[in-house]
Amino acid sequence: MTDVDVIIVGAGPTGLMLAAELRLAGARPLVLERRPEQGTTPKAHGLSGQILDLLRYRGLLERVRGLVTDPVPPHRFPFGGVHVDLTRFEEPPLKALSVRQQSLERLLEVHAIELGAEVRRGHEVVGLRQDDESVTAEVRGPDGAYEVTAPYLAGCDGGRSPVRAMAGIGFPGTTYPEVNRIGQVKIPDGLTVHDNGDIETPELGRIKAGFTRTDAGVFALGSLTPGILFIQTTEDDPGEIDDDVPMTLTELGDSIRRVLGGDVPLGDPVRLSRYQFSARQAERYREGRILLAGDAAHLLPSTGTAINVGMSDSVNLAWKLAAEIQGRAPEGLLDTYHAERHAAGARALLQSQAQVALRRGHDAAAEALRAVFQELLDDEQAARRLASHVAGTDTRYPMPGSGHALAGTFVPDLALETDEGATSVAELLRPARPVLLDLAGRPELRELAQGLVDVHTAKAENRPADVLLIRPDGYVAWAGDDVGGLRESLATWFTG
């Protein structure tokens, strides 16, 4: 017998979100992280997409907003060398917050520990073995080697995932040769910044804001914060970069010189980072009692998507895994994790690989492709559709028992009136429990769900359906008024 239900390998956003969600579902996770302390190398600098709505439904969004480094929410997003302008929309279909990954990880770790999760840093998993009943992790910790056993193990340990390798799960795809170097630097003396964002340099003269393409690569220039320049270079490099080696201002300057053929003065750095793109997806997200989530399951060749997809993996997995451990899962429930999230990962890979095709070409034909694509994005419907694709808000899961338009989609946050007063869908989902929401006074449907899910009766101004059955991850499992359909849906998701 063990006092751990799930071993989570990796304390990034995916692993920490999984730990918190498992605690909300009543399971006991242990997080093992090989690094003794949180890494200092800057990684992602923003959080966007569907996960922001889920964080709001869990009551975490305001805490995340407290981490925002840029007070102005960006509504103009890069997409493969062009831009998607969402400033025209009253409610943008792709929302984002400027949050450093390290800050997000600290918040999620505190949240998980507050809920009762244990996080061990400096504990590296060096071996795995599993049988029909459990998984044992061989761990090298600060005080020596030891083993820990649990019914399941989740590999959330990044793109080079040792867990994935030890489980024997293939990771086919492509690593692109381009290396991207990013710097946010203070504007130094001797550098003029024009009103339109262009800069004037002593050696190279005027450099326009946006993208400058040369035979050696791409130089990108912009500014999100007064007094700070955002600079990025992209060069082809056949080698593989080491994420653990911090980038320096000298390295960024050398890269600028190679791309532009001259120097750009750089002030004190606010942020320096580098990354290399891969387009890969694990062949399967489950091997027996070992599961994968986040970058261990998929690497996406564009920015602004990976954390959203990875944390969404965790939210999908946690309630299913907890139900399996607690003996209340219908047959095949845990297998739906791979079915749903592998398809979602493949869709995220689709749009991110499209960005590769748009950005990598440097000839006249490639410039023409980007120009035509940019024109298409001036159309409101095209911009909305693409933004929803990047955000993951167009993800739809197949749901047995319901042909309603809402079935399989992320539930809207309806304002509700109950006998106890005003509430909302977001409030009802805060405990991460499944909910049957009766909006039309249907006692026979409520009776079917009693004891299986949380049952609420309410009124909504714009009622989308008589009754909604909502999974803990916020997706509508069933909607409508059909007794038979609800019975089938309950048997699929919530009866063991």
Side-chain angles (χ1 to χ4, degrees), residues 265-310:
L266 302 174
D268 293 336
V270 177
R271 173 200 176 200
L272 295 170
S273 64
R274 79 170 86 72
Y275 56 91
Q276 193 171 25
F277 282 128
S278 291
R280 297 183 180 276
Q281 187 173 26
E283 292 175 338
R284 54 196 180 279
Y285 287 9
R286 180 184 181 187
E287 178 61 36
R289 293 179 172 272
I290 298 171
L291 301 111
L292 302 177
D295 287 354
H298 40 69
L299 286 175
L300 307 174
S302 66
T303 57
T305 306
I307 293 181
N308 176 38
V309 180

Side-chain angles (χ1 to χ4, degrees), residues 7-302:
I7 301 165
I8 300 172
V9 184
T14 298
L16 294 169
M17 189 69 181
L18 178 58
E21 290 287 300
L22 283 167
R23 285 301 303 140
L24 287 171
R28 301 161 299 175
L30 167 64
V31 182
L32 301 175
E33 168 56 52
R34 68 178 179 86
R35 291 185 174 91
E37 298 177 354
Q38 188 184 46
T40 57
T41 303
K43 295 183 179 179
H45 197 67
L47 186 61
S48 65
Q50 184 75 77
I51 195 63
L52 290 174
D53 288 324
L54 194 285
L55 289 171
R56 181 162 57 86
Y57 285 17
R58 291 293 188 264
L60 285 172
L61 187 57
E62 287 310 308
R63 291 171 67 176
V64 173
R65 287 188 191 279
L67 307 175
V68 169
T69 54
D70 178 8
V72 180
H75 292 315
R76 194 167 182 265
F77 295 88
F79 187 90
V82 299
H83 283 86
V84 187
D85 188 355
L86 305 179
T87 55
R88 74 192 101 168
F89 299 114
E90 184 176 345
E91 185 71 16
L94 174 59
K95 301 171 186 174
L97 294 176
S98 180
V99 176
R100 292 187 176 93
Q101 182 170 328
Q102 286 90 340
S103 300
L104 177 65
E105 287 176 2
R106 283 193 290 270
L107 185 152
L108 291 174
E109 183 169 353
V110 169
H111 174 57
I113 292 172
E114 286 173 348
L115 292 171
E118 181 182 357
V119 179
R120 298 180 189 172
R121 291 189 174 272
H123 293 251
E124 182 179 7
V125 174
V126 295
L128 293 176
R129 62 181 187 272
Q130 64 172 316
D131 55 31
D132 292 340
E133 296 183 353
S134 64
V135 183
T136 297
E138 301 167 15
V139 186
R140 186 164 53 219
D143 299 322
Y146 67 96
E147 293 185 347
V148 60
T149 298
Y152 289 93
L153 180 144
C156 305
D157 50 342
R160 294 188 177 95
S161 172
V163 168
R164 185 185 61 238
M166 287 185 278
I169 298 174
F171 200 43
T174 301
T175 296
Y176 295 98
E178 61 190 19
V179 175
N180 301 270
R181 294 176 173 88
I182 289 179
Q184 285 177 276
V185 297
K186 294 180 180 178
I187 298 172
D189 294 337
L191 188 72
T192 302
V193 180
H194 296 281
D195 291 342
N196 66 351
D198 293 356
I199 60 174
E200 198 82 35
T201 72
E203 184 174 345
L204 296 171
R206 189 161 183 150
I207 302 174
K208 66 178 182 178
F211 299 96
T212 299
R213 299 175 186 276
T214 72
D215 291 340
V218 180
F219 175 82
L221 171 69
S223 179
L224 297 175
T225 307
I228 303 293
L229 285 180
F230 175 91
I231 290 172
Q232 177 174 326
T233 63
T234 302
E235 303 176 84
D236 279 357
D237 187 336
E240 191 166 340
I241 63 174
D242 186 346
D243 294 336
D244 292 332
V245 177
M247 196 180 83
T248 64
L249 195 64
T250 299
E251 181 182 336
L252 177 62
D254 290 343
S255 180
I256 293 171
R257 190 178 307 110
R258 289 192 297 269
V259 172
L260 294 180
D263 287 319
V264 172
L266 302 174
D268 293 336
V270 177
R271 173 200 176 200
L272 295 170
S273 64
R274 79 170 86 72
Y275 56 91
Q276 193 171 25
F277 282 128
S278 291
R280 297 183 180 276
Q281 187 173 26
E283 292 175 338
R284 54 196 180 279
Y285 287 9
R286 180 184 181 187
E287 178 61 36
R289 293 179 172 272
I290 298 171
L291 301 111
L292 302 177
D295 287 354
H298 40 69
L299 286 175
L300 307 174
S302 66

